[in-house]
């Protein structure tokens, strides 16, 4: 039996907690070490999850010989430098979404990983969930016919706190990078990179994008209609509409959920898989599988696509109007 991977976690925030907890649902890996800028924080996190090694710097974390692979769980502006740190230490890395702040940063990480011959993957956990695997199968079989439209939204309500990371510019705040990346990545999975982008962006009270609506056009005539917002809880549903059938994904389309395949004549087929945990352990399994098979990237979340998604989000934000009225 293959030994479980020793994960080293950079960061001790909420997503790192979820990832650490979810590893209990798989035998492919365990948390071997955690690193923080403050030893007290690393100790509290390690005590909670029974992690043997704790470090007061990220440099010490990536140098830990018990760490086989690094999970980068810091705020968006730190993804690029923290991932470079791991790669330069010779460690493969799983990097929280959004992959980076910009496409230029993403290109640099990909180039570094390829030059070093190291595995690298964006932690877009949705790609590895059971319902998405089934949706991929249906798409590959042509069950929907020609794809006409992709629809997805991701809105959450957050208290207006200027120090909260999603409202803080210095922490890479904004709806698009944290919430909108899910609809954009979903559309990319189905339709690829758009060749036309139209956006409507309203800023939050701190100046970050607070609500962003996107219309993507594709060379084959398909379109994607996407939205994200920090101001309200939206349905968080997704749909893929084809000439022969459509798929309607239930709420929190990006998390473990159910969906219905509805034919053009109205016949309905439901999919609802049992699941454990939050679902992040599926991406950990994918990393373990790729490393075991000697792959340097995942075919389900290719590096070039992560760069392409960042290019699309760069283009979306570039259309932001400087004279939009912010939400107080």
């Amino acid at each position: 039996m293959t030994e479980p991977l020793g994960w080293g976690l950079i960061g001790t925030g909420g997503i790192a907690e979820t990832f650490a907890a979810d590893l209990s649902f798989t035998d492919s890996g365990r948390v071997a070490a955690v690193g923080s800028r403050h030893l007290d924080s690393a100790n509290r996190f390690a005590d909670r999850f029974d992690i043997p090694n704790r470090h007061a710097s990220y440099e010490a974390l990536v140098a830990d010989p018990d760490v086989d692979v690094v999970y980068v769980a810091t705020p968006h502006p730190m993804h690029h430098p923290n991932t470079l740190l791991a790669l330069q230490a010779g460690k493969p890395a799983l990097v929280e979404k959004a992959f980076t702040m910009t496409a230029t940063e993403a290109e640099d990480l990909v180039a570094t990983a390829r030059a070093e011959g190291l595995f690298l993957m964006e932690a877009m956990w949705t790609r590895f969930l059971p319902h998405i695997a089934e949706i991929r199968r249906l798409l590959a079989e042509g069950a929907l016919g020609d794809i006409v439209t992709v629809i997805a939204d991701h809105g959450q309500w957050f208290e207006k706190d200027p120090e909260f990371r999603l409202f803080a510019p210095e922490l890479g705040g904004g709806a698009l990078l944290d919430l909108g990346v899910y609809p954009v990545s979903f559309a990319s999975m189905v339709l690829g990179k758009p060749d036309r982008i139209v956006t409507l962006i309203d800023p939050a009270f701190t100046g970050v994008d607070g609500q962003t609506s996107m219309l993507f056009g594709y060379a084959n005539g398909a379109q994607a209609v996407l939205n994200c917002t920090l101001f309200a809880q939206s349905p968080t549903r997704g749909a893929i509409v084809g000439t022969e059938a459509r798929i309607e994904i239930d709420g929190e389309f990006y998390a473990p959920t159910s969906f219905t395949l509805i034919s053009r004549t109205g016949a309905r087929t439901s999919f609802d898989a049992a699941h454990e945990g939050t679902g992040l352990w599926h991406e950990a399994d994918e990393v373990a599988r790729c490393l075991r098979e000697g792959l340097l990237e995942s075919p389900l979340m290719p590096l070039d696509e992560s760069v392409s998604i960042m290019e699309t989000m760069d283009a979306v934000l570039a259309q932001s109007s400087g004279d939009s009225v912010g939400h107080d």
Side-chain angles (χ1 to χ4, degrees), residues 294-309:
L295 301 178
L296 297 183
E297 59 185 283
S298 167
L300 300 180
M301 189 67 254
L303 291 174
D304 287 343
E305 187 180 359
S306 289
V307 172
S308 173
I309 288 167

PDB file of all heavy atoms in Angstrom, residues 294-309:
ATOM      1  N   GLY A 294       3.212   9.964 -11.604  1.00  0.00           N
ATOM      2  CA  GLY A 294       4.285  10.741 -12.199  1.00  0.00           C
ATOM      3  C   GLY A 294       3.825  11.888 -13.076  1.00  0.00           C
ATOM      4  O   GLY A 294       4.590  12.398 -13.908  1.00  0.00           O
ATOM      5  N   LEU A 295       2.579  12.335 -12.897  1.00  0.00           N
ATOM      6  CA  LEU A 295       2.052  13.454 -13.683  1.00  0.00           C
ATOM      7  C   LEU A 295       2.491  14.780 -13.063  1.00  0.00           C
ATOM      8  O   LEU A 295       2.548  14.909 -11.841  1.00  0.00           O
ATOM      9  CB  LEU A 295       0.526  13.395 -13.743  1.00  0.00           C
ATOM     10  CG  LEU A 295      -0.092  12.137 -14.347  1.00  0.00           C
ATOM     11  CD1 LEU A 295      -1.611  12.219 -14.285  1.00  0.00           C
ATOM     12  CD2 LEU A 295       0.375  11.943 -15.787  1.00  0.00           C
ATOM     13  N   LEU A 296       2.753  15.772 -13.897  1.00  0.00           N
ATOM     14  CA  LEU A 296       3.153  17.093 -13.417  1.00  0.00           C
ATOM     15  C   LEU A 296       1.984  18.069 -13.375  1.00  0.00           C
ATOM     16  O   LEU A 296       2.139  19.198 -12.910  1.00  0.00           O
ATOM     17  CB  LEU A 296       4.284  17.649 -14.282  1.00  0.00           C
ATOM     18  CG  LEU A 296       5.584  16.839 -14.256  1.00  0.00           C
ATOM     19  CD1 LEU A 296       6.655  17.527 -15.087  1.00  0.00           C
ATOM     20  CD2 LEU A 296       6.067  16.609 -12.831  1.00  0.00           C
ATOM     21  N   GLU A 297       0.831  17.647 -13.872  1.00  0.00           N
ATOM     22  CA  GLU A 297      -0.385  18.444 -13.744  1.00  0.00           C
ATOM     23  C   GLU A 297      -1.586  17.531 -13.895  1.00  0.00           C
ATOM     24  O   GLU A 297      -1.471  16.408 -14.385  1.00  0.00           O
ATOM     25  CB  GLU A 297      -0.435  19.581 -14.764  1.00  0.00           C
ATOM     26  CG  GLU A 297      -0.383  19.158 -16.224  1.00  0.00           C
ATOM     27  CD  GLU A 297      -0.326  20.359 -17.143  1.00  0.00           C
ATOM     28  OE1 GLU A 297      -1.376  21.001 -17.362  1.00  0.00           O
ATOM     29  OE2 GLU A 297       0.771  20.669 -17.646  1.00  0.00           O
ATOM     30  N   SER A 298      -2.731  18.002 -13.463  1.00  0.00           N
ATOM     31  CA  SER A 298      -3.947  17.203 -13.534  1.00  0.00           C
ATOM     32  C   SER A 298      -4.666  17.433 -14.860  1.00  0.00           C
ATOM     33  O   SER A 298      -4.863  18.583 -15.256  1.00  0.00           O
ATOM     34  CB  SER A 298      -4.892  17.576 -12.384  1.00  0.00           C
ATOM     35  OG  SER A 298      -6.188  17.039 -12.607  1.00  0.00           O
ATOM     36  N   PRO A 299      -5.092  16.373 -15.525  1.00  0.00           N
ATOM     37  CA  PRO A 299      -5.877  16.549 -16.751  1.00  0.00           C
ATOM     38  C   PRO A 299      -7.254  17.151 -16.490  1.00  0.00           C
ATOM     39  O   PRO A 299      -7.888  17.666 -17.413  1.00  0.00           O
ATOM     40  CB  PRO A 299      -5.985  15.130 -17.313  1.00  0.00           C
ATOM     41  CG  PRO A 299      -5.815  14.235 -16.120  1.00  0.00           C
ATOM     42  CD  PRO A 299      -4.848  14.950 -15.222  1.00  0.00           C
ATOM     43  N   LEU A 300      -7.707  17.123 -15.234  1.00  0.00           N
ATOM     44  CA  LEU A 300      -9.006  17.683 -14.887  1.00  0.00           C
ATOM     45  C   LEU A 300      -8.933  19.177 -14.573  1.00  0.00           C
ATOM     46  O   LEU A 300      -9.939  19.876 -14.631  1.00  0.00           O
ATOM     47  CB  LEU A 300      -9.602  16.935 -13.688  1.00  0.00           C
ATOM     48  CG  LEU A 300      -9.832  15.436 -13.895  1.00  0.00           C
ATOM     49  CD1 LEU A 300     -10.423  14.824 -12.632  1.00  0.00           C
ATOM     50  CD2 LEU A 300     -10.742  15.185 -15.093  1.00  0.00           C
ATOM     51  N   MET A 301      -7.749  19.663 -14.211  1.00  0.00           N
ATOM     52  CA  MET A 301      -7.538  21.091 -13.969  1.00  0.00           C
ATOM     53  C   MET A 301      -6.158  21.451 -14.523  1.00  0.00           C
ATOM     54  O   MET A 301      -5.210  21.683 -13.779  1.00  0.00           O
ATOM     55  CB  MET A 301      -7.637  21.400 -12.471  1.00  0.00           C
ATOM     56  CG  MET A 301      -7.650  22.897 -12.120  1.00  0.00           C
ATOM     57  SD  MET A 301      -9.116  23.790 -12.661  1.00  0.00           S
ATOM     58  CE  MET A 301      -8.490  24.741 -14.046  1.00  0.00           C
ATOM     59  N   PRO A 302      -6.030  21.493 -15.866  1.00  0.00           N
ATOM     60  CA  PRO A 302      -4.728  21.719 -16.493  1.00  0.00           C
ATOM     61  C   PRO A 302      -4.181  23.106 -16.178  1.00  0.00           C
ATOM     62  O   PRO A 302      -4.934  24.068 -15.988  1.00  0.00           O
ATOM     63  CB  PRO A 302      -5.018  21.566 -17.993  1.00  0.00           C
ATOM     64  CG  PRO A 302      -6.354  20.890 -18.084  1.00  0.00           C
ATOM     65  CD  PRO A 302      -7.100  21.285 -16.855  1.00  0.00           C
ATOM     66  N   LEU A 303      -2.874  23.199 -16.135  1.00  0.00           N
ATOM     67  CA  LEU A 303      -2.237  24.477 -15.810  1.00  0.00           C
ATOM     68  C   LEU A 303      -2.532  25.544 -16.848  1.00  0.00           C
ATOM     69  O   LEU A 303      -2.757  26.709 -16.502  1.00  0.00           O
ATOM     70  CB  LEU A 303      -0.732  24.275 -15.656  1.00  0.00           C
ATOM     71  CG  LEU A 303      -0.307  23.458 -14.438  1.00  0.00           C
ATOM     72  CD1 LEU A 303       1.189  23.186 -14.463  1.00  0.00           C
ATOM     73  CD2 LEU A 303      -0.702  24.154 -13.142  1.00  0.00           C
ATOM     74  N   ASP A 304      -2.531  25.172 -18.117  1.00  0.00           N
ATOM     75  CA  ASP A 304      -2.821  26.174 -19.147  1.00  0.00           C
ATOM     76  C   ASP A 304      -4.231  26.729 -18.995  1.00  0.00           C
ATOM     77  O   ASP A 304      -4.480  27.899 -19.300  1.00  0.00           O
ATOM     78  CB  ASP A 304      -2.635  25.577 -20.550  1.00  0.00           C
ATOM     79  CG  ASP A 304      -1.168  25.376 -20.911  1.00  0.00           C
ATOM     80  OD1 ASP A 304      -0.296  25.966 -20.248  1.00  0.00           O
ATOM     81  OD2 ASP A 304      -0.896  24.626 -21.879  1.00  0.00           O
ATOM     82  N   GLU A 305      -5.152  25.895 -18.506  1.00  0.00           N
ATOM     83  CA  GLU A 305      -6.510  26.394 -18.293  1.00  0.00           C
ATOM     84  C   GLU A 305      -6.564  27.330 -17.095  1.00  0.00           C
ATOM     85  O   GLU A 305      -7.305  28.331 -17.113  1.00  0.00           O
ATOM     86  CB  GLU A 305      -7.497  25.243 -18.109  1.00  0.00           C
ATOM     87  CG  GLU A 305      -8.939  25.749 -18.067  1.00  0.00           C
ATOM     88  CD  GLU A 305      -9.974  24.663 -17.876  1.00  0.00           C
ATOM     89  OE1 GLU A 305      -9.594  23.477 -17.792  1.00  0.00           O
ATOM     90  OE2 GLU A 305     -11.173  25.004 -17.789  1.00  0.00           O
ATOM     91  N   SER A 306      -5.791  27.043 -16.050  1.00  0.00           N
ATOM     92  CA  SER A 306      -5.746  27.968 -14.916  1.00  0.00           C
ATOM     93  C   SER A 306      -5.226  29.331 -15.361  1.00  0.00           C
ATOM     94  O   SER A 306      -5.731  30.369 -14.924  1.00  0.00           O
ATOM     95  CB  SER A 306      -4.857  27.393 -13.800  1.00  0.00           C
ATOM     96  OG  SER A 306      -5.477  26.291 -13.177  1.00  0.00           O
ATOM     97  N   VAL A 307      -4.215  29.335 -16.218  1.00  0.00           N
ATOM     98  CA  VAL A 307      -3.712  30.604 -16.768  1.00  0.00           C
ATOM     99  C   VAL A 307      -4.796  31.282 -17.598  1.00  0.00           C
ATOM    100  O   VAL A 307      -5.025  32.492 -17.485  1.00  0.00           O
ATOM    101  CB  VAL A 307      -2.447  30.373 -17.613  1.00  0.00           C
ATOM    102  CG1 VAL A 307      -2.044  31.660 -18.345  1.00  0.00           C
ATOM    103  CG2 VAL A 307      -1.302  29.882 -16.743  1.00  0.00           C
ATOM    104  N   SER A 308      -5.485  30.508 -18.431  1.00  0.00           N
ATOM    105  CA  SER A 308      -6.544  31.058 -19.281  1.00  0.00           C
ATOM    106  C   SER A 308      -7.664  31.675 -18.445  1.00  0.00           C
ATOM    107  O   SER A 308      -8.196  32.747 -18.788  1.00  0.00           O
ATOM    108  CB  SER A 308      -7.109  29.950 -20.184  1.00  0.00           C
ATOM    109  OG  SER A 308      -8.238  30.394 -20.900  1.00  0.00           O
ATOM    110  N   ILE A 309      -8.025  31.027 -17.351  1.00  0.00           N
ATOM    111  CA  ILE A 309      -9.072  31.563 -16.472  1.00  0.00           C
ATOM    112  C   ILE A 309      -8.626  32.889 -15.875  1.00  0.00           C
ATOM    113  O   ILE A 309      -9.413  33.842 -15.782  1.00  0.00           O
ATOM    114  CB  ILE A 309      -9.416  30.530 -15.383  1.00  0.00           C
ATOM    115  CG1 ILE A 309     -10.190  29.355 -16.001  1.00  0.00           C
ATOM    116  CG2 ILE A 309     -10.243  31.163 -14.266  1.00  0.00           C
ATOM    117  CD1 ILE A 309     -10.312  28.147 -15.091  1.00  0.00           C
TER     118      ILE A 309
END
